[in-house]
Amino acid sequence: MQSNRLMKLPKKWALPRRLCGIASQECARRGSSVKQTVVLDAEALGFEACFFVLIRTSEHEADWQDKFLNALLSRPEVQEAHRLAGDIDYILKVRVANARAMMSSIKR
């Protein structure tokens, strides 16, 4: 399977698709390819709304962070979570069907 970005290379630079596949395999063989990604159409799957949630906390203990991570992992609507420097501690990327679904997710 080839990544979405890799599949765009032949069109962008007029490269044969097979050559891009060979390059991908060679990167994997050398260990320089970390992962391949499949990008799904969220809207086609019924997740039309994307929200970014900012979180501030005074908790930074290891046990709290473990609980927080487990809470995020139990919520499939959370696509990404990033630790930030500054006033905001975390930013979450959340995909849901609509604003009502987002409010339900927050209340859980």
Side-chain angles (χ1 to χ4, degrees):
M1 181 182 342
Q2 295 175 342
S3 71
N4 191 29
R5 175 182 276 169
L6 192 61
M7 296 311 292
K8 290 179 182 177
L9 287 177
K11 292 178 185 174
K12 184 175 180 179
W13 293 328
L15 297 172
R17 196 174 275 220
R18 186 174 185 293
L19 181 60
C20 289
I22 292 169
S24 174
Q25 290 171 356
E26 182 61 19
C27 286
R29 187 185 70 74
R30 290 181 180 187
S32 58
S33 175
V34 177
K35 67 179 179 178
Q36 292 186 353
T37 304
V38 174
V39 179
L40 300 175
D41 184 347
E43 288 185 21
L45 295 171
F47 301 106
E48 296 179 4
C50 181
F51 294 90
F52 291 90
V53 179
L54 304 176
I55 298 175
R56 281 190 187 139
T57 182
S58 59
E59 298 285 339
H60 298 286
E61 306 295 323
D63 61 330
W64 182 89
Q65 289 182 349
D66 288 342
K67 289 177 186 175
F68 182 64
L69 177 61
N70 288 331
L72 293 179
L73 291 173
S74 71
R75 295 172 170 261
E77 65 271 20
V78 177
Q79 289 189 327
E80 298 178 22
H82 302 274
R83 179 80 165 97
L84 302 175
D87 293 340
I88 305 296
D89 294 297
Y90 297 92
I91 184 169
L92 309 179
K93 180 180 177 184
V94 180
R95 277 252 186 215
V96 290
N98 52 41
R100 184 175 292 141
M102 182 64 195
M103 293 309 295
S104 295
S105 177
I106 290 171
K107 290 178 183 178
R108 281 192 304 144

